[in-house]
Amino acid sequence: MIAAAELFAVMAFPNIDPVAFSIGPVAVHWYGLAYVAGILLGWFYARRLVSRADLWPKDNPPMTLAQLDDFLVWAALGVILGGRIGYILFYDFAAVVDDPLRAVQIWNGGMSFHGGFTGTTIAMILFARRNGIRIWSLFDIVAAVVPIGLFFGRIANFINGELWGKLSGLPWAFVFPNAGPFARHPSQLYEAALEGLVLLALLAVAIYAFGALKRPGFVTGLFVAGYAVCRIFVEFFREPDAQLGYLLGGWLTMGMLLSLPMLALGLWAMLRARRAAV
């Protein structure tokens, strides 16, 4: 049990205004800038991957740079629409049924990674079929760059003081403005580090040091399984959504439950890629 005194001996929360800047009546939030930064930097990194023919099977990239530029719009729509719809279905459905306007009130809740993952997957399948692109290689391109967006998104969650962690007496714990008087794990920063930086580095090593893109689907599987492991781990330190709480036994959360199929899918994709390359 954490002593009450420990819960107050914490770092001061950097009370950053969620609004980065305003242009007249238009307020630009850090959360929106995080999405823009993630998409643009991901697009830049994806262009570098597509430009390196030696990274791909038979030195043949799966798409042209022009096709990649066109896909940027599809990916953005998949992330935003899927993320919002996923949050409503998985975390806030009852409240939206009572008040349908809540569906567009992104300040009441937010975005779901699992929903964004599903929306982007649908966008990739449709785009690949329409343009005759190898679907597994398109999956790999997107999987390689997604951790960039995850990093910026979790940093924005921290700035907003949302999705905080459980009570903690650790020296790097914070008292979040809307989470009561006690210190909590900065679980948003844990996720930024693991799902963002660590996963990005792991995928880059697999691509550049071990030629993972030459086995279509392997990078996708590594990302999906890696994200699931990171998310399940962080869920032990993250406070569950108030409207859901724990689903079972005082420890199982919706985030864990949604990540378990991803872990199985990721392992299957890696195994499939290795067998197909033989």
Side-chain angles (χ1 to χ4, degrees):
M1 194 70 180
I2 303 172
E6 291 181 311
L7 294 175
F8 287 104
V10 294
M11 298 174 64
F13 181 77
N15 195 16
I16 303 173
D17 191 339
V19 177
F21 59 89
S22 299
I23 303 176
V26 179
V28 179
H29 290 71
W30 288 108
Y31 201 74
L33 291 179
Y35 268 84
V36 172
I39 290 172
L40 291 182
L41 289 176
W43 167 70
F44 175 77
Y45 182 29
R47 287 180 63 89
R48 292 180 63 88
L49 294 176
V50 172
S51 298
R52 286 279 303 272
D54 60 303
L55 296 176
W56 301 96
K58 301 179 181 180
D59 295 336
N60 181 27
M63 63 196 306
T64 65
L65 291 177
Q67 287 174 324
L68 179 62
D69 294 345
D70 290 340
F71 175 67
L72 180 65
V73 177
W74 291 61
L77 289 174
V79 169
I80 295 171
L81 294 178
R84 184 56 185 163
I85 293 171
Y87 184 87
I88 293 170
L89 294 178
F90 300 144
Y91 298 98
D92 208 30
F93 185 73
V96 172
V97 170
D98 291 338
D99 180 13
L101 287 178
R102 186 180 174 90
V104 296
Q105 297 171 354
I106 58 174
W107 54 90
N108 285 324
M111 308 285 280
S112 161
F113 168 80
H114 298 91
F117 172 81
T118 303
T120 306
T121 300
I122 295 172
M124 286 187 285
I125 292 172
L126 295 176
F127 186 84
R129 288 183 175 178
R130 181 173 181 177
N131 293 275
I133 295 170
R134 301 193 302 266
I135 185 62
W136 280 108
S137 290
L138 179 56
F139 284 168
D140 287 342
I141 294 171
V142 175
V145 306
V146 166
I148 299 173
L150 291 176
F151 171 78
F152 284 108
R154 295 311 182 190
I155 294 298
N157 290 148
F158 179 76
I159 291 174
N160 289 347
E162 60 191 3
L163 305 182
W164 50 75
K166 298 178 182 178
L167 298 179
S168 172
L170 293 172
W172 57 82
F174 291 89
V175 175
F176 290 93
N178 300 314
F182 298 118
R184 295 178 177 274
H185 286 284
S187 55
Q188 315 95 323
L189 300 184
Y190 299 169
E191 291 188 86
L194 292 175
E195 301 166 8
L197 299 180
V198 172
L199 199 49
L200 179 67
L202 176 64
L203 295 173
V205 169
I207 290 170
Y208 288 101
F210 296 99
L213 290 175
K214 293 181 179 294
R215 291 170 286 175
F218 189 87
V219 171
T220 300
L222 184 58
F223 164 73
V224 173
Y227 174 85
V229 170
C230 292
R231 180 62 182 268
I232 290 170
F233 174 76
V234 174
E235 285 289 314
F236 285 103
F237 302 94
R238 178 174 164 175
E239 188 77 12
D241 291 76
Q243 68 271 28
L244 293 180
Y246 292 105
L247 304 182
L248 180 68
W251 63 273
L252 181 65
T253 66
M254 179 62 79
M256 290 179 182
L257 190 63
L258 294 174
S259 295
L260 288 174
M262 292 185 66
L263 178 57
L265 179 62
L267 294 174
W268 170 82
M270 286 189 286
L271 181 61
R272 177 217 149 270
R274 289 177 61 88
R275 288 177 174 173
V278 175

